[in-house]
């Protein structure tokens, strides 16, 4: 089952894939992941892949998140003969079919599952993102400054910026945006 949204092709695109793996096939599935990930990385425009493993007692699905530089490159991978062959190979290990949806840019942050392809306007996405990132950058920068004056370390400017952006993105993806978009959901989708 595939869900897509009709968005621009010149921005980054993300596919979120869910696999409910049979209990007795988890080792086979893990081996399959080690086979398919390098193949996807070989396709033009590949930006990265992340895997969220099931949490014992809480979830049963693996979630695979793959990013490409453009929607076209992502769709080239998703519709490729290589991927089709590997999906056929994994089918015996899955409880359900290969389920995925494709989002472009940052839209996947703002789209609850029940919203189908309904997205907030770009200016609202901009405001929400800016209002979320500003206090994070301010706070994490202050913590980094405090650490560098308290602990006798002197990181390079690049290392400091790398650390700050890492923690800002980490907080945005896992803490702030999921809660913030629920809080402002009515306004965001009005």
């Amino acid at each position: 089952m595939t869900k897509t949204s009709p968005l621009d092709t010149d921005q980054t695109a993300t596919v979120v894939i869910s696999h409910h793996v049979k209990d007795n096939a988890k080792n086979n599935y893990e081996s399959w992941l080690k086979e398919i990930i390098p193949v996807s990385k070989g396709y033009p425009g590949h930006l990265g892949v992340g895997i969220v493993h099931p949490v014992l007692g809480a979830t049963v699905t693996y979630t695979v998140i793959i990013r490409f530089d453009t929607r076209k490159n992502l769709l080239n991978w998703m519709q490729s003969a290589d991927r089709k062959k590997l999906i056929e190979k994994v089918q015996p290990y899955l409880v359900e079919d290969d389920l995925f949806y494709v989002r472009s840019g940052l839209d996947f942050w703002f789209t609850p599952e029940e919203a189908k392809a309904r997205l907030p306007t770009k200016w609202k996405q901009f405001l929400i993102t800016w209002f979320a990132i500003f206090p994070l950058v301010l706070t994490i920068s202050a913590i980094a400054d405090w650490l560098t004056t308290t602990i006798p370390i002197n990181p390079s400017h690049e290392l400091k910026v790398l650390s700050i952006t890492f923690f800002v993105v980490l907080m945005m993806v896992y803490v702030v945006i999921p809660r913030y978009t629920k809080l402002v959901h009515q306004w965001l989708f009005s």
Side-chain angles (χ1 to χ4, degrees):
M1 181 173 148
T2 307
K3 293 188 234 175
T4 60
S5 57
L7 299 166
D8 299 333
T9 58
D10 63 344
Q11 51 184 302
T12 61
T14 304
V15 62
V16 179
I17 305 164
S18 296
H19 287 153
H20 183 172
V21 179
K22 294 176 182 174
D23 289 337
N24 63 350
K26 292 195 188 303
N27 289 337
N28 292 334
Y29 183 80
E30 291 281 345
S31 296
W32 176 82
L33 281 174
K34 290 176 185 169
E35 184 179 351
I36 194 169
I37 290 171
V39 176
S40 75
K41 287 181 179 180
Y43 273 72
H46 187 276
L47 295 176
V49 62
I51 300 169
V52 180
H53 292 78
V55 177
L56 188 63
T59 62
V60 295
T61 59
Y62 283 79
T63 303
V64 181
I65 303 161
I66 306 173
R67 294 187 58 240
F68 278 81
D69 62 347
T70 65
R71 185 180 179 88
K72 180 181 176 190
N73 282 338
L74 181 136
L75 293 176
N76 284 341
W77 158 246
M78 294 300 291
Q79 297 165 355
S80 71
D82 288 333
R83 184 176 186 281
K84 286 178 185 171
K85 186 172 79 174
L86 287 161
I87 292 300
E88 286 174 17
K89 183 176 181 177
V90 80
Q91 276 314 132
Y93 310 141
L94 303 180
V95 173
E96 301 170 323
D97 285 338
D98 176 54
L99 303 174
F100 64 89
Y101 62 92
V102 175
R103 294 287 186 258
S104 296
L106 298 177
D107 292 332
F108 70 96
W109 275 357
F110 296 96
T111 309
E113 288 180 32
E114 68 273 10
K116 303 291 184 238
R118 187 174 165 226
L119 299 172
T121 60
K122 293 286 184 195
W123 71 269
K124 287 183 179 182
Q125 291 181 43
F126 165 78
L127 282 178
I128 292 298
T129 304
W130 182 40
F131 287 146
I133 286 178
F134 176 73
L136 281 175
V137 169
L138 199 60
T139 303
I140 293 172
S141 295
I143 291 169
D145 289 342
W146 176 79
L147 283 173
T148 57
T149 57
T150 306
I151 302 169
I153 57 172
N154 192 13
S156 67
H157 175 72
E158 292 80 8
L159 181 61
K160 189 174 175 182
V161 171
L162 178 71
S163 300
I164 290 169
T165 56
F166 171 82
F167 286 109
V168 167
V169 172
L170 181 75
M171 294 296 292
M172 285 290 289
V173 171
Y174 290 103
V175 179
V176 176
I177 287 296
R179 289 165 179 82
Y180 196 21
T181 53
K182 282 182 184 175
L183 182 67
V184 296
H185 183 271
Q186 272 192 309
W187 173 78
L188 199 55
F189 288 92
S190 63

